[in-house]
């Protein structure tokens, strides 16, 4: 079996990379280790409007459960910061149906799809000896298809196989160094307003935050993620995400009053924070969670992953058809995705690390400082889930700069 491009992982990012490789003339194979696209689910399923558009989809009843226009941010002391975008900012989706829609789009462009196919090994080309006529320049990808071993020959492999990427390991590329363990349940929950998500920063989820995302007026996805090191320092004996979630459900008065008990679904997973220094090697590209391309401020990875996947698919196809799949040639991908996303991810990391160090009393002061009509108006006008730096820049140079500098200290000055 010989292909120009093989994509490992048929999530939204993998399907998008495969589709773009096919659109650029490559013969493409898309591999998925599970028996079904979109299962098991390992995501909250809250996608910004830009993320859906980046995947070249229009909102559809086939995968959209609910739309969201804002957030209620609750300080540890219970005060609420209401952020209203005045229009739809995100969609609550069925990830199973969303993923399958993108896989179908890839297949419609000529991508071959192979389910129950797991990558178990990889032999990279030695391009230096190949130039001397001693070795084929193809990548030999070993897989188990329905439990039977096979070898697939391809010019380029795109690893879209998530935070625990086997392709990264086989290729000698590093995996994301920081991973936030997370947990989520879908449960009966009476939202105050199903147009708003709820966010809970502070010691409830050290280093990150807890959240509720309304599927409808009666059901929400309740979740949290945390920085393991900070969780240990917080003094809790059991520092697992499950123990933090159980404590959150029984001790937060706002959530406790709305949560009816039990669960309809249960999901665990990891969120990579911070991209790798290298996302290419001879014949190999990494994209999405495998490349650490998630947003450090929210943990979302669909918009950033789809943005990078389009570049990956195009560069991989062109390199394969040109007959040059060296790391030097494929580095065009690394340069282009960093040009589009690198600065925002860098600022996001600074925000993540700053917020993660705040104590509950500091969150109370910070949220109280932001809760003024003029600041809320600025947040409404310039708030952006995918580009938080836009809002921070506007706030920094607004008439509230002195108030904000008092709240943030000198942190804002370090961002720009």
């Amino acid at each position: 079996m010989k292909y120009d491009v093989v994509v490992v992982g048929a999530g939204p990012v993998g399907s998008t990379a495969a589709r773009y490789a096919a659109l650029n003339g490559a013969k493409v194979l898309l591999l998925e280790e599970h028996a079904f696209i979109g299962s098991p689910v390992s995501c909250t399923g809250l996608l910004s409007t830009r993320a859906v558009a980046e995947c070249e989809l229009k909102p559809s009843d086939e995968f959209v459960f609910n739309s969201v226009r804002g957030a209620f941010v609750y300080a540890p002391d219970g005060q609420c910061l209401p952020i209203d975008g005045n229009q739809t900012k995100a969609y609550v989706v069925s990830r199973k149906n969303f993923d399958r829609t993108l896989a179908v789009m890839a297949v419609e462009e000529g991508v071959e799809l192979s389910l129950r196919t797991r990558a178990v090994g990889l032999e990279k080309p030695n391009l230096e000896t190949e130039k001397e006529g001693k070795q084929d320049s193809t990548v030999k990808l070993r897989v188990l298809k329905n439990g039977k071993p096979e070898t697939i020959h391809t010019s380029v492999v795109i690893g879209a196989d998530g935070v625990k990427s086997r392709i990264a390991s086989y290729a000698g590329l590093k995996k994301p160094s920081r991973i936030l363990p997370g947990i989520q349940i879908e449960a009966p929950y009476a939202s105050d307003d199903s147009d708003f998500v709820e966010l809970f920063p502070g010691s409830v989820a050290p280093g990150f935050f807890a959240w509720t995302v309304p599927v409808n007026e009666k059901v929400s996805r309740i979740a949290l993620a945390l920085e393991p090191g900070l969780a240990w320092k917080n003094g809790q004996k059991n520092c697992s995400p499950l123990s933090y979630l159980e404590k959150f459900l029984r001790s937060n008065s706002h959530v406790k009053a709305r949560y009816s008990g039990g669960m309809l679904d249960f999901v665990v997973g990891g969120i990579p924070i911070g991209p790798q220094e290298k996302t290419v090697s001879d014949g190999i590209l990494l994209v999405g969670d495998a490349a650490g391309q998630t947003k450090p401020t929210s943990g979302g990875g669909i918009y950033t992953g789809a943005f990078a996947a389009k570049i990956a698919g195009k560069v991989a196809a062109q390199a394969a058809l040109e007959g040059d799949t060296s790391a030097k040639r494929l580095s065009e991908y690394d340069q282009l995705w960093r040009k589009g996303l690198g600065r925002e991810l860098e600022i996001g990391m600074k925000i993540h690390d700053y917020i993660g160090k705040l104590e509950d009393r500091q969150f109370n002061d910070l949220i109280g400082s932001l809760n003024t009509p003029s600041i809320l108006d600025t947040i409404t006008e310039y708030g952006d889930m995918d580009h938080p730096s836009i809002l921070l820049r506007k706030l920094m140079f607004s008439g509230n700069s002195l108030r904000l500098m008092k709240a943030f200290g000198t942190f804002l000055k370090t961002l720009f």
Side-chain angles (χ1 to χ4, degrees):
M1 294 181 287
K2 178 69 170 70
Y3 296 87
D4 298 314
V5 177
V6 173
V7 181
V8 180
V13 174
S15 291
T16 300
R19 179 164 60 92
Y20 262 72
L23 286 169
N24 283 274
K27 181 181 180 182
V28 184
L29 177 64
L30 176 60
L31 307 182
E32 172 55 48
E33 67 175 324
H34 299 103
F36 304 98
I37 300 293
S39 181
V41 175
S42 57
C43 171
T44 295
L46 179 68
L47 308 185
S48 68
T49 54
R50 184 183 283 106
V52 174
E54 191 67 34
C55 292
E56 299 175 2
L57 289 174
K58 293 182 179 180
S60 165
D61 290 340
E62 293 181 5
F63 60 83
V64 173
F65 287 139
N66 187 26
S67 59
V68 170
R69 76 169 196 259
F72 297 131
V73 183
Y74 289 93
D77 64 3
Q79 64 179 307
C80 177
L81 178 70
I83 300 174
D84 191 341
N86 289 335
Q87 60 182 328
T88 297
K89 295 292 186 178
Y91 300 103
V92 183
V93 306
S94 162
R95 273 296 304 269
K96 291 181 180 179
N97 293 343
F98 182 78
D99 290 17
R100 290 170 186 175
T101 299
L102 289 172
V104 168
M105 290 170 62
V107 171
E108 288 176 341
E109 296 299 338
V111 173
E112 295 182 39
L113 175 62
S114 182
L115 300 176
R116 293 179 177 172
T117 307
R118 178 182 181 184
V120 295
L122 180 151
E123 183 180 330
K124 291 170 57 179
N126 187 327
L127 296 179
E128 292 302 316
T129 58
E130 190 275 335
K131 291 176 182 178
E132 300 170 7
K134 296 180 180 179
Q135 184 175 336
D136 187 2
S137 61
T138 59
V139 179
K140 298 175 181 65
L141 182 65
R142 294 188 295 278
V143 303
L144 288 178
K145 183 174 181 179
N146 294 318
K148 297 181 180 180
E150 294 183 4
T151 299
I152 300 170
H153 296 254
T154 182
S155 297
V156 180
V157 171
I158 297 178
D161 51 341
V163 66
K164 297 180 180 179
S165 174
R166 294 190 187 93
I167 298 304
S169 296
Y170 300 150
L173 293 168
K174 293 181 179 180
K175 298 180 182 179
S177 59
R178 294 172 65 182
I179 299 174
L180 309 183
I183 187 169
Q184 172 180 287
I185 63 171
E186 190 167 287
Y189 186 87
S191 299
D192 288 344
D193 190 329
S194 60
D195 288 342
F196 290 77
V197 301
E198 297 173 331
L199 306 179
F200 302 85
S203 59
V204 63
F208 208 56
F209 54 88
W211 63 90
T212 73
V213 171
V215 176
N216 53 48
E217 294 178 354
K218 297 181 179 180
V219 175
S220 287
R221 295 166 182 168
I222 309 170
L224 59 79
L226 47 82
E227 285 270 12
L230 293 174
W232 281 103
K233 292 178 182 178
N234 204 40
Q236 184 161 319
K237 293 182 179 179
N238 187 343
C239 295
S240 70
L242 176 59
S243 67
Y244 271 94
L245 181 62
E246 289 174 338
K247 182 179 179 180
F248 174 58
L249 292 173
R250 68 173 180 264
S251 63
N252 184 283
S253 59
H254 176 87
V255 172
K256 185 178 180 180
R258 290 157 181 78
Y259 172 51
S260 301
M263 66 181 74
L264 307 174
D265 198 7
F266 179 87
V267 173
V268 295
I271 303 171
I273 299 293
Q276 289 92 303
E277 293 181 6
K278 289 178 60 178
T279 57
V280 302
S281 183
D282 288 339
I284 310 292
L285 301 176
L286 300 179
V287 69
D289 282 9
Q293 292 165 337
T294 55
K295 294 176 289 186
T297 49
S298 68
I302 301 298
Y303 164 65
T304 50
F307 178 91
K310 294 178 181 180
I311 300 171
K314 182 177 180 179
V315 171
Q318 291 175 342
L321 296 176
E322 292 167 7
D324 181 2
T325 58
S326 64
K328 182 178 180 180
R329 171 66 182 89
L330 296 177
S331 65
E332 179 187 4
Y333 159 70
D334 198 78
Q335 295 165 4
L336 290 174
W337 82 253
R338 291 183 195 276
K339 181 178 180 181
L341 300 174
R343 179 60 175 158
E344 201 67 40
L345 294 181
E346 180 185 349
I347 291 174
M349 281 300 299
K350 291 181 179 180
I351 297 171
H352 173 87
D353 289 338
Y354 171 78
I355 293 296
K357 296 175 182 177
L358 297 182
E359 298 177 357
D360 282 355
R361 61 176 179 79
Q362 293 173 304
F363 273 115
N364 296 334
D365 292 342
L366 176 59
I367 289 173
S369 296
L370 295 174
N371 209 347
T372 69
S374 60
I375 290 179
L376 289 174
D377 286 345
T378 302
I379 294 174
T380 295
E381 185 173 358
Y382 296 105
D384 190 321
M385 292 173 63
D386 300 306
H387 298 282
S389 66
I390 295 174
L391 172 62
L392 289 177
R393 189 181 293 273
K394 290 293 181 180
L395 289 172
M396 184 175 176
F397 296 104
S398 70
N400 296 283
S401 58
L402 291 178
R403 182 184 183 90
L404 291 168
M405 291 303 292
K406 182 179 179 181
F408 285 97
T410 59
F411 169 67
L412 287 177
K413 290 184 178 180
T414 69
L415 293 179
F416 306 103

